[in-house]
Amino acid sequence: MPQASEIAWLIPVFPLIGAVLSGLGLISINKKINNSREIVSVGLISFVGISAVISYKALIEQVNGYQSVEKLFVWANAGDFTIPMGFVLDPLGSVMLALVTTITLLVMIYSHGYMAHDKGYVRFFTYLALFSSSMMGLIVSPNLLEIYVFWELVGMCSYLLVGFWYDRDGAAHAAQKAFVVNRVGDFGLLLGILGLFWATNSFDFNEIATGISQSISDNSIPIWAALLLCFLVFLGPMAKSAQFPLHVWLPDAMEGPTPISALIHAATMVAAGIFLVARLQPLYSIFPSIQFIIALVGTITCFLGASIALTQMDLKKGLAYSTVSQLGYMMLAMGCGAPIAGIFHLVTHACFKAMLFLGSGSVIHAMEEVVGHQPILAQDMRLMGGLRKKMPYTSATFLIGCIAISGIPPLAGFWSKDEILGNAFISFPAFWFVGFLTAGLTAFYMFRLYFLTFEGEFRGDNKDLQKQLLIASKLNLDEENEEEHEEHGSIHESPWSMTFPLVFLAVPSVIIGFMGLPWDSKIANLLDPEEAQAAAKAFELKEFLPLAIASVFIASSGIIIAYQAYFVKKINLSILFAQRFPSINQFLSNKWYLDDINEKLFVKGSRKLAKEVLEVDSKVVDGVVNLTGLVTLGSGEGLKYFETGRAQFYALIVFGGVILLVAIFGFQSPQVT
């Protein structure tokens, strides 16, 4: 039997086969396929399950010291020019594959319950399978060119899934926004890839790093050009992993079904950017200035996401900005030259963030029984409260996720976030301070979400509040009354297909952090044994404890403030903060005005430019064409009168032309003296 690492190319193939078969069925025998939804979903889950089994086996082989595998074939060649394709499986790839397949499997199981009554059930599962296949293909890609192919496939699948309910204007606009913003980053990535190939004649990660270093030492490429190429490549991860200022698409992506929100935010699309930066660490480590830029972007993103999350009342959007913030932490780690810390936080974050998003979906699913299928009402925390007694599994797992992301030991988030902050403290103390403050904000807004959703009295049956929220959202109540807003059910726990993934993910959210203990990091031993040994030898408890205690202290402070404000209600933050600092509160509520700036500069600006170009086209370009036609028509109309059919008249014209030519050339000839 072959080693799993030897057949790693099959990992993305199995979900792809399932997606293709299901897609062809939807095209050819749509009614039969939709009527066989359970069979289709079980088949697609089975295909992803096979990939998961191979991924787990490959991970075990890598843990046991099996050599990394890389197999290439020539995809295209012309003389000395060749483009290799194939697959690679190394420790980093094996960790990512195990993570992606696990989260995808759980999301698919969850989707069976969440999308049970949706008419697009089979289409949704088909998109999920194609999405997971694209991400798996990206992970096993051995070079930048192949990564770019799967990179675009991931973007296409996200467009399909975010806009899954395309009949809703919000979903259609969100899908377009995600697509356009990611095109900005992807264009930079493509330019960077082509530039690096021009400079090094290779698409391989290590060969590019070696080639750039050699070219700079030989003065065959100026340093500014190398820096520009590195930054262009970084634009791709900036967009994919929602880094400032290209983060604006991610919160809007909440318009898609909640299961895809969990998949995008936990283990697929946003993880792709972090993964690519980790792959390119040999290149980025050559240039401290680029690493500083990466760390700076990550720090800004980290604080931006947390600060905006403070004012969000939409449950899913609050979690979305939380994801933006946590991605900033991961990018900060990459900029500090600590890719292992970044990947470690990616793994832990995937577990508890997937659980939190799926938990929010469970809450929304229950709220729809009371307020109807209206996202503005079903997702607004002002209509929630008191759900803990009605939804014990959802509330317990959501609480575990809140504790984990807040960085309270011994849960997973504490170990991974502290490792990032420790590296930032050494590399960029100012960035560490921002990350440290953000840890307190994270704990506050996460427990704000928890207390507003699960504690206190239930507010969902308040019809006046529902109407106020609809009016505040500027919706026409008559037009939006397609869904029944009258109470037609009660809050209850979600079915087992939705609660099982929550309970399953709660386990790694608690214990997976022990993989990265600073004095004995299993994940570091897997990804880079030499660095792990050096870190273990350099570890000193007296250096670790002050930073860890400070981190726990500020996180605990955030939790206590949230408890006082939203549970026992001894603090009125609207008086203490919103009324005293209205401009800051408005600044945060309006998401740093970044959406408004984008709307004014890029959306309206591009429309204005398009109108001006259309004006030039209609008046200048079309004018020249029309003038040419008019001249031709006029000259033709005039010349027709010379068509008399008389030879004498034609001879007279020829004679007149000859006389005219003689006269012209006679005047131009030099005078003889």
Side-chain angles (χ1 to χ4, degrees):
M1 183 177 179
Q3 296 286 343
S5 301
E6 300 283 343
I7 56 172
W9 62 275
L10 288 172
I11 295 174
V13 169
F14 281 110
L16 178 62
I17 292 173
V20 169
L21 292 175
S22 177
L24 291 175
L26 285 171
I27 294 172
S28 56
I29 48 173
N30 185 280
K31 190 173 182 180
K32 289 185 178 180
I33 287 292
N34 281 310
N35 289 336
S36 306
R37 52 168 58 191
E38 288 82 7
I39 297 174
V40 174
S41 61
V42 169
L44 291 173
I45 290 174
S46 299
F47 278 117
V48 175
I50 295 171
S51 296
V53 170
I54 300 174
S55 300
Y56 300 150
K57 193 170 185 302
L59 177 60
I60 293 171
E61 290 174 1
Q62 293 295 317
V63 170
N64 291 333
Y66 190 79
Q67 293 295 317
S68 300
V69 175
E70 183 177 20
K71 293 190 176 181
L72 303 173
F73 65 91
V74 176
W75 180 60
N77 68 332
D80 294 334
F81 173 75
T82 60
I83 300 179
M85 292 290 185
F87 75 93
V88 63
L89 190 77
D90 57 3
L92 176 60
S94 64
V95 170
M96 289 296 297
L97 285 172
L99 178 68
V100 170
T101 53
T102 300
I103 300 298
T104 302
L105 268 177
L106 293 171
V107 167
M108 287 181 127
I109 294 170
Y110 180 93
S111 299
H112 173 68
Y114 191 86
M115 304 292 290
H117 303 292
D118 196 286
K119 61 182 180 181
Y121 178 96
V122 175
R123 179 166 58 94
F124 184 74
F125 269 80
T126 303
Y127 289 167
L128 278 181
L130 184 60
F131 195 18
S132 62
S133 173
S134 302
M135 186 63 193
M136 295 171 199
L138 188 150
I139 292 170
V140 299
S141 296
N143 55 52
L144 275 175
L145 182 62
E146 193 171 331
I147 271 190
Y148 187 77
V149 173
F150 287 105
W151 189 272
E152 293 302 319
L153 281 173
V154 167
M156 180 199 73
C157 293
S158 71
Y159 173 79
L160 295 173
L161 285 161
V162 171
F164 181 78
W165 288 319
Y166 54 83
D167 51 344
R168 296 179 181 175
D169 288 341
H173 294 158
Q176 293 170 5
K177 187 175 183 179
F179 186 81
V180 171
V181 173
N182 275 278
R183 294 292 69 72
V184 175
D186 293 357
F187 181 63
L189 175 62
L190 179 60
L191 290 179
I193 290 173
L194 295 176
L196 290 173
F197 180 78
W198 162 77
T200 64
N201 200 35
S202 176
F203 292 112
D204 183 82
F205 305 107
N206 293 318
E207 290 180 7
I208 285 174
T210 304
I212 287 290
S213 180
Q214 186 64 39
S215 297
I216 292 174
S217 62
D218 295 343
N219 292 322
S220 58
I221 179 174
I223 185 69
W224 65 265
L227 292 172
L228 176 61
L229 293 177
C230 290
F231 180 74
L232 286 172
V233 171
F234 179 59
L235 281 176
M238 276 181 67
K240 233 22 160 224
S241 290
Q243 299 296 297
F244 171 85
L246 300 179
H247 68 283
V248 291
W249 67 270
L250 190 59
D252 287 21
M254 296 301 95
E255 293 292 339
T258 300
I260 195 54
S261 300
L263 195 58
I264 287 178
H265 285 245
T268 52
M269 190 164 175
V270 297
I274 304 297
F275 173 77
L276 180 57
V277 176
R279 278 279 191 233
L280 289 170
Q281 274 300 303
L283 173 64
Y284 289 140
S285 61
I286 302 172
F287 306 104
S289 55
I290 290 294
Q291 289 194 300
F292 175 80
I293 291 173
I294 294 173
L296 176 62
V297 169
T299 304
I300 295 173
T301 305
C302 173
F303 182 74
L304 174 144
S307 63
I308 296 177
L310 296 174
T311 60
Q312 295 300 303
M313 296 308 300
D314 185 297
L315 179 58
K316 284 177 67 177
K317 286 196 174 182
L319 292 175
Y321 280 107
S322 168
T323 299
V324 172
S325 181
Q326 298 304 306
L327 290 167
Y329 273 115
M330 298 174 207
M331 204 61 80
L332 171 60
M334 298 297 171
C336 293
I340 294 175
I343 294 297
F344 181 33
H345 194 54
L346 174 63
V347 172
T348 60
H349 174 263
C351 295
F352 53 69
K353 185 52 64 69
M355 180 175 63
L356 287 166
F357 264 110
L358 296 180
S360 73
S362 180
V363 169
I364 294 165
H365 187 266
M367 287 293 296
E368 287 175 345
E369 292 290 325
V370 177
V371 300
H373 296 276
Q374 176 56 264
I376 290 172
L377 300 179
Q379 296 173 196
D380 199 303
M381 292 182 289
R382 285 168 288 194
L383 290 173
M384 298 178 188
L387 301 185
R388 176 172 56 83
K389 297 177 182 178
K390 301 289 186 179
M391 308 179 71
Y393 292 106
T394 301
S395 62
T397 53
F398 201 95
L399 178 60
I400 291 172
C402 290
I403 297 172
I405 197 174
S406 298
I408 302 299
L411 275 70
F414 167 76
W415 303 105
S416 56
K417 189 184 293 185
D418 256 41
E419 188 171 345
I420 293 173
L421 291 176
N423 282 281
F425 185 79
I426 297 171
S427 302
F428 306 107
F431 295 168
W432 165 83
F433 183 70
V434 176
F436 174 72
L437 291 179
T438 303
L441 296 180
T442 302
F444 171 78
Y445 70 68
M446 287 307 303
F447 274 86
R448 171 180 176 268
L449 296 182
Y450 176 79
F451 290 132
L452 285 174
T453 303
F454 294 102
E455 301 296 343
E457 297 295 326
F458 181 64
R459 303 174 290 276
D461 50 7
N462 188 330
K463 301 299 180 183
D464 292 334
L465 182 56
Q466 291 182 26
K467 195 170 290 186
Q468 290 174 17
L469 294 176
L470 288 172
I471 293 172
S473 64
K474 300 178 181 179
L475 291 177
N476 186 313
L477 296 182
D478 295 329
E479 293 179 1
E480 291 297 325
N481 202 30
E482 297 175 0
E483 302 292 345
E484 191 70 31
H485 294 312
E486 295 183 4
E487 184 173 339
H488 54 84
S490 58
I491 298 293
H492 58 82
E493 185 60 273
S494 299
W496 73 267
S497 60
M498 295 174 66
T499 53
F500 167 73
L502 297 176
V503 175
F504 185 95
L505 285 167
V507 177
S509 296
V510 174
I511 66 173
I512 201 171
F514 294 110
M515 287 176 53
L517 298 175
W519 57 88
D520 183 22
S521 176
K522 302 292 189 299
I523 192 167
N525 280 321
L526 175 62
L527 298 178
D528 192 338
E530 293 182 4
E531 183 177 334
Q533 292 177 6
K537 290 180 180 178
F539 173 79
E540 291 188 15
L541 191 62
K542 63 181 181 181
E543 294 179 356
F544 169 77
L545 277 180
L547 292 177
I549 292 172
S551 178
V552 173
F553 172 77
I554 196 167
S556 301
S557 301
I559 295 172
I560 291 170
I561 295 173
Y563 175 81
Q564 294 290 328
Y566 298 104
F567 187 68
V568 298
K569 298 182 180 179
K570 290 184 177 179
I571 300 176
N572 191 331
L573 291 179
S574 63
I575 296 176
L576 287 177
F577 183 81
Q579 294 182 8
R580 288 188 180 182
F581 309 100
S583 57
I584 297 177
N585 185 65
Q586 190 173 8
F587 179 73
L588 298 179
S589 298
N590 285 281
K591 308 165 189 175
W592 289 28
Y593 294 105
L594 292 172
D595 282 331
D596 296 335
I597 293 171
N598 285 330
E599 178 74 18
K600 187 173 182 179
L601 286 182
F602 298 107
V603 177
K604 292 182 178 178
S606 60
R607 286 175 182 170
K608 184 179 179 181
L609 178 62
K611 288 180 180 178
E612 292 175 353
V613 170
L614 184 62
E615 195 79 9
V616 171
D617 179 69
S618 61
K619 291 185 177 180
V620 178
V621 179
D622 286 352
V624 171
V625 174
N626 294 336
L627 179 62
T628 303
L630 186 62
V631 169
T632 304
L633 180 63
S635 61
E637 285 291 324
L639 288 173
K640 74 179 182 180
Y641 295 106
F642 291 94
E643 297 290 333
T644 63
R646 297 178 179 180
Q648 300 92 326
F649 183 70
Y650 296 153
L652 180 62
I653 292 175
V654 172
F655 180 73
V658 171
I659 295 298
L660 181 62
L661 290 174
V662 170
I664 292 172
F665 286 105
F667 282 120
Q668 290 182 350
S669 60
Q671 300 294 326
V672 180
T673 57

